[in-house]
Amino acid sequence: MKFSVVVPCYNEEDNVELFFSTAVSELSSIIDDTEFIFVNDGSTDKTFERLKELCQNTKYCVKTINFSRNFGKEAGLLAGLTEANGEYVAIIDADLQQRPKYILDMYEILCKNKEYDAVAAYQDIRKEGKILTFFKDTFYGLINKMSEIDLMRSASDFRLLKRCVVDAIISLPEKCRFSKGIFSWVGFNTFYMPYTVEERASGTSKWSFWKLFSYAVDGIVAFSVKPLLMASVAGIILFILALIMMIYTIIKTVCFGEAVAGYPTIVSLILLLSGVQLLCMGILGQYIAKNYTETKNRPVYVIKEKISSKEK
Ligand code: UDP
Ligand code: MG
């Protein structure tokens, strides 16, 4: 197969068939050379049944990987990329927010510009609230400053990758996978293509604010150790401040005989310092937790079954 299309699906029962029929019509020029890999990420609705029917009723090459439970989109992407045989591998969501027709544009870009190994789509117009945009901007600013990787602000996971890029991505053994960082870390030349994001065909986004926040923390911890350095620097600064204050108090009491009115100062200092200490412990804890997860060496996902339209 020349093309593989990887589609992670979690509770997309109303979208998978629509997605597939849209993809078949929009990708008609390459459809005979394309395999579809749907990853059912432990959906609790009828997504798997729909995918099974799809595999049974189609004349095209469709594979479905069924996870034993929900492992998250990152795990779905890894499973799909590992299963893909294509020379070019596309990653696309199942909810039709990303139109499959853009894959043809991405392919054209790669054909015309041999120096590029991947095309990543980015949203030219963002359809999200101002507060979310502010937090996302802060996250991208932080991670780009703190780490060796460079993430493009609005780039999505909607991509077309050449085989060399896919091989590099699946060769990374880490368990805590932050795909946006991994795409950047493996290097290669990426072309950023603007696209217009559509409304979800059906259902709601699986990303709440807290899920996004924890995803952002995972990303920073996975690609930078600077927060640890910052914790140490904060410790040093506080130590120096405490020393200055001590000397100041001693001089004030010994030389000028002034009694120190200490209670409010002590309470504020205790609160401040214990806050800083907890923050630093939290930062340290994040790294220990990630280390713990990595050393357990559990697989990123567990496959319950695989179905393929070609086995009919
Ligand atoms: N997804 C998944 N596992 C999850 C959450 C999401 O496979 O645990 C899939 C989902 O079915 C969709 C894609 O990842 O195809 C993007 O998810 P969603 O549309 O919720 O994210 P958004 O578009 O809001 O960023
Ligand atoms: Mg979506």
Side-chain angles (χ1 to χ4, degrees):
M1 285 290 166
K2 192 163 178 190
F3 300 95
S4 301
V5 178
V6 171
V7 196
C9 309
Y10 177 56
N11 291 348
E12 304 282 4
E13 61 180 358
D14 294 327
N15 290 331
V16 282
E17 279 164 1
L18 184 65
F19 168 83
F20 186 63
S21 55
T22 312
V24 167
S25 72
E26 291 187 356
L27 301 178
S28 56
S29 57
I30 57 165
I31 196 72
D32 292 326
D33 236 353
T34 302
E35 62 172 2
F36 287 87
I37 300 164
F38 290 94
V39 183
N40 177 39
D41 184 14
S43 301
T44 49
D45 63 1
K46 298 254 180 308
T47 303
F48 182 58
E49 280 75 6
R50 300 280 172 276
L51 288 172
K52 225 160 137 181
E53 285 162 18
L54 219 149
C55 281
Q56 279 159 4
N57 300 330
T58 186
K59 58 179 178 165
Y60 302 111
C61 181
V62 180
K63 295 176 184 169
T64 293
I65 300 172
N66 192 24
F67 280 178
S68 61
R69 65 168 173 86
N70 178 250
F71 284 92
K73 185 182 174 187
E74 302 292 321
L77 289 185
L78 179 65
L81 292 179
T82 310
E83 187 68 26
N85 292 312
E87 237 176 277
Y88 294 86
V89 181
I91 299 170
I92 184 167
D93 290 351
D95 55 11
L96 284 174
Q97 283 195 281
Q98 303 157 343
R99 302 296 300 205
K101 63 179 180 195
Y102 288 116
I103 295 175
L104 295 179
D105 300 336
M106 293 179 177
Y107 178 56
E108 206 182 305
I109 291 170
L110 288 184
C111 287
K112 281 194 185 145
N113 306 280
K114 295 285 178 217
E115 70 275 23
Y116 286 108
D117 307 298
V119 179
Y122 71 90
Q123 297 177 32
D124 48 359
I125 308 159
R126 294 199 75 93
K127 293 179 183 167
E128 63 188 19
K130 283 209 166 64
I131 298 179
L132 194 59
T133 306
F134 166 76
F135 279 108
K136 285 191 177 176
D137 282 342
T138 311
F139 164 71
Y140 281 100
L142 273 177
I143 197 162
N144 285 340
K145 270 214 184 85
M146 284 184 177
S147 65
E148 60 189 90
I149 56 168
D150 194 22
L151 298 188
M152 196 208 170
R153 170 66 183 83
S154 309
S156 64
D157 289 344
F158 182 24
R159 284 161 198 250
L160 183 69
L161 313 171
K162 276 189 187 166
R163 173 63 22 208
C164 53
V165 184
V166 176
D167 287 342
I169 292 171
I170 59 182
S171 74
L172 294 187
E174 59 205 76
K175 310 290 172 192
C176 305
R177 298 185 78 88
F178 178 72
S179 289
K180 286 190 199 319
I182 290 178
F183 289 137
S184 164
W185 188 90
V186 293
F188 299 99
N189 286 337
T190 304
F191 184 93
Y192 291 95
M193 182 188 94
Y195 85 112
T196 311
V197 71
E198 310 285 332
E199 287 303 322
R200 234 177 186 278
S202 160
T204 49
S205 169
K206 316 293 180 299
W207 294 92
S208 63
F209 178 79
W210 286 112
K211 261 191 167 177
L212 278 175
F213 179 74
S214 127
Y215 184 65
V217 172
D218 281 353
I220 293 178
V221 172
F223 284 93
S224 170
V225 288
K226 289 242 172 79
L228 289 173
L229 185 71
M230 281 157 61
S232 315
V233 172
I236 294 170
I237 293 174
L238 282 173
F239 175 75
I240 294 171
L241 284 179
L243 213 66
I244 294 172
M245 194 163 166
M246 227 167 77
I247 295 167
Y248 169 73
T249 316
I250 292 173
I251 292 174
K252 217 167 121 182
T253 317
V254 173
C255 302
F256 303 99
E258 281 179 34
V260 188
Y263 184 70
T265 327
I266 289 175
V267 170
S268 344
L269 278 181
I270 288 179
L271 285 177
L272 174 81
L273 291 184
S274 40
V276 173
Q277 274 178 3
L278 280 178
L279 179 74
C280 295
M281 264 164 63
I283 293 175
L284 200 64
Q286 283 297 325
Y287 286 88
I288 295 174
K290 288 286 170 291
N291 208 347
Y292 177 59
T293 313
E294 295 292 337
T295 44
K296 275 193 289 187
N297 207 19
R298 287 184 186 155
V300 178
Y301 51 82
V302 175
I303 295 176
K304 189 172 169 190
E305 63 206 295
K306 281 186 192 177
I307 309 172
S308 168
S309 60
K310 297 288 171 197
E311 282 162 15
K312 275 185 291 175

